[in-house]
Amino acid sequence: MTSHPEGSQDHRFRLLVESVVDYAIFMLDPAGTVLTWNIGAERLKGYSAEEIIGRPFTVFYPPEAVASGWPRHELEIAERNQRYEEEGWRVRKDGSTFWASVVITALRGPDGRLEGFAKVTRDLSEKRLREEALRQSEEQFRLLLESVNDYAIFMLDPEGAILTWNHGAAAIKGYAASEVLGRNFRMFFTAQDILEGKPEAELHAARTQGRAESEGWRVRKDGAVFWANAVLTPVHDGEGRLRGFAKVTRDLSEQRRVREVEQEGRRMQEFIAMLAHELRNPLAPIRNAVSLLQDPSLDVGARQEATSVMDRQLGLLTHLVDDLLDVGRIATGKISLRDELLDYRQVVMLSVESARDAIDGRGHALRVDLPEGPIALRGDPTRLTQALLNLLTNAAKYTPDGGRLGLKVGIEGGTVVAAVSDNGRGVAPEARDRIFDLFTQERQAGGASDPGLGIGLALARALIEQHGGQLTVESPGPGQGSTFHIRLPIGHTEAADPVAGDAAAEQESEAMAPLQALVVDDNRDAADTLSLLLETLGHACRTAYGARQALEVAREFAADVVFLDLNMPDGDGVSVLPRLRAILGDTAYVAALTGYGQKHDREITRAAGFQEHLTKPVEMSRLQATLAAAGERRDAASAPRQSPPT
């Protein structure tokens, strides 16, 4: 062995290598036998120089590696490539293992002949433990995220492209990871939200505010929408640079549905309370009037006043029920409109006449401005009158006593415009659309809600729109009055002549000979009062309180006209009708008497063979028209037939 002077460069290098304690640095001969050993090798592997020099380096490898010939393979690679590097398990003297970083370098002489190998080994056990702990933590976190099914949890890059995708995201949004990775997250927003720039606004809010939370409709793969709560959080690296965003989305559709059901329940309770209030209002004066009429000492004037009160309040009740039914028909698309040529001035005058009690009762002054010539429209005069009447009664209701109301009708281009104005409470700007919503009521400054059911304006707008028109409101603000504008497309240039059917029927009823009438209704009060009314009009009347009794009465009483209830405990009117006809003959005029008045109800009675369909309560004009039609049928049947010419 060549000696090296203590001051030589080789001597200093040897001292350097031997003094390194963090690395095992030693030499092997070409066969892999240990030739040198430094302090770092002794500390790392546990062998002293005397114990290891001269032994094969395979003692540092696990038995399975030695059995596979791996140590020799490492030397072959180092000899061929001049260098070999790896990480793997190595064995200490005490049999324990450690994770090592190993570099083997081939050593060659001046002639290029292999003289051995230099081997440097470092203990990376702590580093590997940290890395393994981190890897396990990341794996556990990944498994945790992927196993969550109730939340969509995914990462975005700074521009919003999707980087990760968990099982919850796939379950909620319907996409597999392969279908969304790399695509922008705006794909989950509705078209309207994309047009409004909401995806970009969310990224900006999260970036500038540190967090963005929102609720709204989101779109699934199949195009269905769901109500989502989404939280977007920016993700920064150790140097504070934005690396992307974490997004957590939850499907709240069911919770929203429950909230809506609860809100609808509260609205329904409020509606029922309002309905009870509105029903009690006319019922109270009716009850008072009935009590007055039961007093035998009541004079004629007071008796007439009591009956007038009952008639007015019954009219209010009927109007209320009709409005409720119309709301149901409109909501289900079952309302039908007549299409006829009419003069809108007649609609105006009928509406004003019907609203007169409400207007005069509050001491209001009403000014009506109408064009001199006819205003031709095509539509349903009853429905158009109903819409305008609702606006007039609305103006009377929300204007303090002694107020000023106006109704001005004119033609603007091809449109008829009717303006109903008042100097009453007015409408706040934010409520101008809301007041037309069904069952919606605005609260006054003191907190009290409006009287009524909140259906008048909604019904008026629906009826106007079904005629191809518009209903809008203008108001300077609360306390400054309001103006409602009806706009309807103009019709032909000539209006139809006024119809005087009701007056003609009234005259015919007054002039006709008395009829024999049969009233059939299981409601005794309804049957008895109608019978009493018919007798007051001069007709002979019998009453039956059920289907079986009706057949019995019919056998002994030849009725010219029958008012037949449709729903009775012992038989419905449709099934009773043919048996009545078998007794009375085909000349009897039979009118269905029922609380059901929708289009399909009328179709049923018409198909069953009823001559008329009367909806309770029956107005006097309608009752007299029915009696007139029954009289005509009776007279036509009894008229002598003319002999044929010979």
Side-chain angles (χ1 to χ4, degrees), residues 286-287 290 294 310 314 519-534 541 543-546 549 565 593 616-618:
I286 290 174
R287 167 58 67 188
V290 169
Q294 290 174 341
M310 293 175 66
L314 282 172
V519 177
V520 184
D521 197 329
D522 62 305
N523 185 322
R524 288 177 175 264
D525 288 341
D528 292 343
T529 53
L530 180 55
S531 296
L532 182 60
L533 177 58
L534 291 170
C541 192
T543 305
Y545 304 117
Q549 189 179 3
D565 188 18
L593 189 63
K616 301 176 182 178
V618 183

Side-chain angles (χ1 to χ4, degrees), residues 214-230:
S214 63
E215 282 195 9
W217 294 110
R218 296 294 182 268
V219 183
R220 293 190 173 94
K221 178 182 177 181
D222 60 5
V225 294
F226 66 100
W227 189 258
N229 171 270

Side-chain angles (χ1 to χ4, degrees), residues 346-362:
Q346 295 176 13
V347 169
V348 172
M349 299 314 297
L350 284 173
S351 301
V352 170
E353 181 182 346
S354 300
R356 181 57 65 185
D357 285 345
I359 295 171
D360 293 346
R362 300 291 298 271

Side-chain angles (χ1 to χ4, degrees), residues 307-562:
T307 55
S308 297
V309 167
M310 293 175 66
D311 185 61
R312 286 196 300 271
Q313 298 305 320
L314 282 172
L316 292 175
L317 277 173
T318 302
H319 181 69
L320 174 62
V321 172
D322 287 342
D323 278 357
L324 288 171
L325 291 174
D326 285 340
V327 165
R329 294 183 188 115
I330 290 174
T332 57
K334 294 181 179 179
I335 194 168
S336 58
L337 299 177
R338 290 156 52 194
D339 182 20
E340 61 183 63
L341 190 60
L342 58 93
D343 184 351
Y344 193 69
R345 293 179 306 169
Q346 295 176 13
V347 169
V348 172
M349 299 314 297
L350 284 173
S351 301
V352 170
E353 181 182 346
S354 300
R356 181 57 65 185
D357 285 345
I359 295 171
D360 293 346
R362 300 291 298 271
H364 298 317
L366 172 64
R367 177 176 177 177
V368 179
D369 293 325
L370 283 173
E372 292 184 1
I375 304 175
L377 292 178
R378 292 205 67 88
D380 188 327
T382 301
R383 296 304 188 182
L384 291 173
T385 301
Q386 182 181 2
L388 185 54
L389 173 60
N390 282 353
L391 296 183
L392 288 171
T393 54
N394 184 76
K397 181 188 298 184
Y398 298 122
T399 299
D401 292 356
R404 298 187 307 277
L405 310 183
L407 173 53
K408 183 177 182 180
V409 180
I411 298 176
E412 297 178 3
T415 304
V416 176
V417 180
V420 178
S421 60
D422 62 67
N423 63 338
R425 188 198 305 176
V427 181
E430 65 274 11
R432 289 177 187 171
D433 287 327
R434 188 169 60 232
I435 61 173
F436 293 104
D437 291 340
L438 192 59
F439 305 137
T440 297
Q441 295 180 311
E442 292 303 306
R443 293 191 174 273
Q444 304 177 40
S449 61
D450 296 342
L453 295 176
I455 61 178
L457 292 179
L459 182 57
R461 171 174 273 189
L463 292 173
I464 294 301
E465 289 179 348
Q466 287 205 335
H467 281 82
Q470 292 180 323
L471 175 59
T472 57
V473 63
E474 294 179 356
S475 175
Q480 302 182 63
S482 57
T483 302
F484 288 83
H485 294 279
I486 294 176
R487 291 177 173 84
L488 292 165
I490 200 166
H492 300 290
T493 57
E494 295 181 0
D497 292 333
V499 178
D502 287 347
E506 233 179 272
Q507 292 174 1
E508 288 184 31
S509 178
E510 292 173 357
M512 78 172 70
L515 296 168
Q516 294 198 153
L518 172 59
V519 177
V520 184
D521 197 329
D522 62 305
N523 185 322
R524 288 177 175 264
D525 288 341
D528 292 343
T529 53
L530 180 55
S531 296
L532 182 60
L533 177 58
L534 291 170
E535 290 174 352
T536 303
L537 294 174
H539 303 287
C541 192
R542 296 286 296 275
T543 305
Y545 304 117
R548 286 192 298 271
Q549 189 179 3
L551 298 174
E552 294 172 0
V553 172
R555 290 188 181 97
E556 60 185 40
F557 182 74
D560 301 309
V561 59
V562 180

Side-chain angles (χ1 to χ4, degrees), residues 205-260:
R207 187 183 300 112
T208 57
Q209 301 173 19
R211 186 176 184 271
E213 182 172 1
S214 63
E215 282 195 9
W217 294 110
R218 296 294 182 268
V219 183
R220 293 190 173 94
K221 178 182 177 181
D222 60 5
V225 294
F226 66 100
W227 189 258
N229 171 270
V231 177
L232 193 66
T233 306
V235 177
H236 298 91
D237 61 18
E239 298 178 359
R241 292 174 299 185
L242 179 68
R243 301 300 301 273
F245 301 89
K247 185 157 191 181
V248 180
T249 301
R250 188 180 183 190
D251 183 355
L252 295 182
S253 300
E254 181 62 20
Q255 291 86 333
R256 178 182 171 86
R257 188 192 67 81
V258 171
R259 288 200 304 268
E260 289 177 346

